[in-house]
Amino acid sequence: MKKLEYFHLSNEILGVNLAANLIGRLAAELLGRTMIPETAKNSESSYQTIEILFGSAVVLFLILTTLWYEMPIRRYLKGMRRQKDVLPDHSELAKRRLLNAPYFLILVDLSIWFIGAVIFGFLTRLGGESPFIVRSIVVQALVTGLITVTLAFFWIEHILQRRMTPIFFPQGRLHEIKGVWRIRIGIRLTALILAGSVVPLTAIYLTIIASMRALTAGRAAPLEILERLQDIVLTETLIFMAFAAFMTMLVGNNLTRPLKGIIGVLQEITRGFFDRKVPVTSNDEIGYTGDVINEMTEGLKERDMIKDAFGKYVSEEVRDEVLSGRIPLDGEKKAVTILFSDLRNFTPMTESNDPKLVVQLMNNYFNEMTEAIQQEGGLVLQFLGDEIYAVFGAPISRTDHPLRAFRAGTAMMKRLVELNKRLVDQGWPILNHGIGIHTGEALAANIGSPDRLSYLLVGDTVNLASRLQSLTKEIGTELILSAVTHERLTESELADIELRRLPPIKIKGKREPVEVFAVA
């Protein structure tokens, strides 16, 4: 924070409050010439000196009172300028003083105008003026006092929201500060309406009464009084119109600016962006709404991060199915194709190589094989040590799942050749694997405990696919698929790779021998 900015921020509340009172004093001068009958001017000379002394005392009192009240605020700003941490108690006090500043200063201002009304009413009465003129002076002081405090409140609140609260409350949460006066929006608007309607009507009413008294007393001709009344009402109307326009600008800006911020953040949320926050600059209903939206945004952002993290452990399809609740917890039977792949001679490789190297080899292998599976719409359900367990046709049903699984298996073979070339270039050991594929029905469900679930497929189809993968070791081939899967393949797919039918093989757990095909 630069020195000039610090000076401006430190004295902005004081300057605005003095300016509001100066405007009120000018309004009082103008209204005094219209609301108070001419006879009251006879006593002006008797208290002009007192008026000057009182005005000087008021300015001095306002400055000293505001400086005393702002001491914690200035200390906080000075600490920020010097980039020093402010003690928690001092910070809390500064924030509380800042939020209470509009309310404290309007009480001070209203007290000053009330005291002024009493003093000058009393002096006017001592000057020999009539009770009506005394009442007119008192009412005129109170009317302009109401104008002043209303203007001071909304003006101070305006600069606080625009400049001060974003510095003191960068994260919002203004409503959490204890010991702060809060006025609801409805009450504020009611005060604005009263200041913009009751006060002007009161001033015009007193002007009309004064003119009627002048007419009754015969101090001027009726036409002259009416012409003067017309000029006076026009002057008062212009004064109050200017006051109303300025107040409407302040209040309208105080309300519309945070609402625009809320709308902007909500629009970002609908587009899936959760980084933007509502700037909270007040502790009323709008400010609280902004805090709630920010909390909601953080929750959505956290949920989105969890969703993305969840998608790293399962596929996006499973993630979306689980989050949407479309996967029955008690399971469903689905026609699927299961693929298992397993690295060969993995245990000896882990014993003869550095563990970090083994992890890198496994990650490279899993990355390549996973891409081959996902490109065909398959889902990697689990990494079981050095084994991959994948499914085609679940949770998203696909009628061509055998063809997709077969294409994924052949792609995995090709990718392993390319991967081994890169490993040889780096001086690393090459990898070998076996792939088993089988098509049939399986039970798909969320399986596990209430605290931890896994989307898995269970049944004879899964077991047979795993057995076929193990069979590749005995047969000495890279890929074996069941005859059931082979029957679902197209001639064009079979033309791209040479397969040989093996004699029916007895497999553990199956009564009848299983017909299989292996890569030649």
Side-chain angles (χ1 to χ4, degrees):
M1 184 184 298
K2 296 181 179 179
K3 186 175 182 179
L4 183 61
E5 182 183 8
Y6 163 75
F7 178 81
H8 190 255
L9 288 173
S10 300
N11 295 283
E12 200 160 14
I13 296 175
L14 173 61
V16 165
N17 193 43
L18 289 175
N21 279 274
L22 176 60
I23 292 173
R25 180 66 187 88
L26 295 175
E29 184 68 23
L30 292 173
L31 291 175
R33 297 176 181 178
T34 59
M35 292 171 55
I36 303 172
E38 288 293 335
T39 52
K41 305 302 179 181
N42 297 330
S43 61
E44 279 191 355
S45 58
S46 62
Y47 60 79
Q48 278 184 346
T49 303
I50 298 177
E51 185 176 12
I52 294 173
L53 293 175
F54 179 79
S56 302
V58 164
V59 171
L60 182 61
F61 176 76
L62 279 177
I63 292 175
L64 294 177
T65 304
T66 306
L67 289 176
W68 167 81
Y69 182 84
E70 287 184 333
M71 283 178 62
I73 300 174
R74 293 170 181 268
R75 189 186 303 121
Y76 186 91
L77 290 172
K78 186 178 293 185
M80 291 188 63
R81 177 172 175 264
R82 295 178 178 177
Q83 297 182 344
K84 293 183 179 179
D85 293 333
V86 182
L87 294 176
D89 292 343
H90 293 168
S91 174
E92 186 81 8
L93 177 60
K95 293 177 179 180
R96 184 163 57 249
R97 288 281 182 97
L98 183 77
L99 295 179
N100 282 331
Y103 311 105
F104 174 78
L105 292 177
I106 64 170
L107 288 177
V108 173
D109 294 343
L110 192 60
S111 300
I112 290 173
W113 283 92
F114 178 79
I115 293 172
V118 173
I119 290 175
F120 290 104
F122 179 73
L123 291 176
T124 305
R125 183 59 177 166
L126 288 180
E129 299 290 350
S130 66
F132 171 74
I133 294 176
V134 173
R135 288 195 301 271
S136 297
I137 290 177
V138 172
V139 171
Q140 174 251 331
L142 293 178
V143 166
T144 50
L146 288 175
I147 295 175
T148 301
V149 297
T150 306
L151 177 62
F153 177 83
F154 287 109
W155 199 353
I156 292 172
E157 191 176 59
H158 176 75
I159 64 144
L160 290 184
Q161 293 186 18
R162 286 292 297 271
R163 293 178 53 80
M164 303 290 279
T165 51
I167 296 175
F168 280 71
F169 300 91
Q171 303 299 325
R173 319 298 301 174
L174 279 71
H175 66 277
E176 295 180 351
I177 302 299
K178 297 180 180 179
V180 174
W181 297 335
R182 293 180 176 87
I183 297 181
R184 297 182 178 274
I185 293 176
I187 298 178
R188 294 182 184 185
L189 293 178
T190 301
L192 178 64
I193 292 172
L194 290 176
S197 58
V198 175
V199 172
L201 289 176
T202 301
I204 293 174
Y205 173 75
L206 290 176
T207 301
I208 294 173
I209 294 297
S211 300
M212 290 178 62
R213 284 180 171 269
L215 180 63
T216 303
R219 290 195 294 268
L223 183 59
E224 180 183 351
I225 292 176
L226 288 175
E227 289 178 350
R228 184 175 178 274
L229 178 62
Q230 178 180 336
D231 294 338
I232 292 172
V233 171
L234 177 61
T235 302
E236 292 176 347
T237 301
L238 293 176
I239 292 173
F240 290 119
M241 283 179 63
F243 167 75
F246 187 59
M247 292 298 300
T248 302
M249 180 193 71
L250 289 178
V251 177
N253 191 272
N254 289 347
L255 293 177
T256 57
R257 188 180 61 259
L259 289 176
K260 288 179 180 178
I262 290 174
I263 293 172
V265 170
L266 292 177
Q267 289 174 340
E268 292 289 313
I269 291 175
T270 58
R271 290 195 288 266
F273 300 106
F274 309 114
D275 292 330
R276 185 174 168 187
K277 287 188 175 183
V278 175
V280 178
T281 57
S282 63
N283 60 355
D284 54 16
E285 295 93 329
I286 296 179
Y288 182 73
T289 301
D291 281 326
V292 171
I293 291 176
N294 288 337
E295 290 179 4
M296 179 189 70
T297 305
E298 284 297 319
L300 291 173
K301 184 177 180 180
E302 183 178 350
R303 191 188 72 171
D304 199 54
M305 291 173 63
I306 294 174
K307 184 178 178 181
D308 289 341
F310 188 28
K312 294 179 180 179
Y313 293 92
V314 299
S315 74
E316 293 183 0
E317 290 90 346
V318 172
R319 178 196 67 193
D320 295 338
E321 291 289 307
V322 170
L323 293 178
S324 65
R326 290 191 290 268
I327 296 180
L329 295 178
D330 54 352
E332 60 176 340
K333 282 191 174 182
K334 297 180 76 74
V336 296
T337 298
I338 303 296
L339 180 150
F340 277 92
S341 75
D342 181 66
L343 285 173
R344 299 287 174 253
N345 302 316
F346 180 71
T347 301
M349 185 178 67
T350 59
E351 294 176 352
S352 59
N353 290 281
D354 182 71
K356 293 183 178 179
L357 174 62
V358 174
V359 171
Q360 286 182 289
L361 289 170
M362 289 179 63
N363 287 337
N364 288 335
Y365 173 76
F366 286 149
N367 181 59
E368 292 291 335
M369 301 306 113
T370 301
E371 286 186 5
I373 292 169
Q374 290 180 343
Q375 284 181 0
E376 294 297 335
L379 166 63
V380 176
L381 293 174
Q382 284 184 333
F383 295 106
L384 305 172
D386 59 332
E387 188 177 60
I388 297 175
Y389 168 25
V391 62
F392 296 80
I396 309 299
S397 297
R398 303 181 192 274
T399 57
D400 59 344
H401 52 86
L403 181 60
R404 289 174 175 271
F406 178 70
R407 286 204 299 252
T410 56
M412 291 167 69
M413 295 166 55
K414 295 176 182 178
R415 282 177 175 263
L416 184 59
V417 172
E418 297 300 322
L419 175 60
N420 281 330
K421 289 180 181 179
R422 297 197 299 271
L423 296 179
V424 170
D425 291 340
Q426 297 178 47
W428 291 0
I430 63 172
L431 303 174
N432 294 292
H433 66 183
I435 301 170
I437 302 174
H438 176 54
T439 301
E441 277 196 340
L443 179 66
N446 286 321
I447 297 175
S449 68
D451 297 328
R452 185 175 181 84
L453 296 172
S454 296
Y455 179 73
L456 293 175
L457 287 94
V458 294
D460 183 64
T461 299
V462 179
N463 295 334
L464 182 53
S466 179
R467 299 275 188 256
L468 294 180
Q469 177 273 123
S470 299
L471 190 60
T472 58
K473 298 179 184 179
E474 303 174 16
I475 304 299
T477 185
E478 192 174 356
L479 184 147
I480 291 180
L481 66 153
S482 67
V484 178
T485 304
H486 184 271
E487 291 174 0
R488 304 281 295 275
L489 304 180
T490 62
E491 293 183 3
S492 60
E493 292 293 337
L494 293 173
D496 294 336
I497 189 170
E498 184 180 352
L499 296 176
R500 58 189 174 95
R501 181 190 291 270
L502 301 179
I505 299 174
K506 181 64 177 178
I507 294 183
K508 183 180 179 181
K510 302 291 291 185
R511 292 182 180 180
E512 301 294 331
V514 177
E515 293 187 6
V516 295
F517 289 79
V519 173

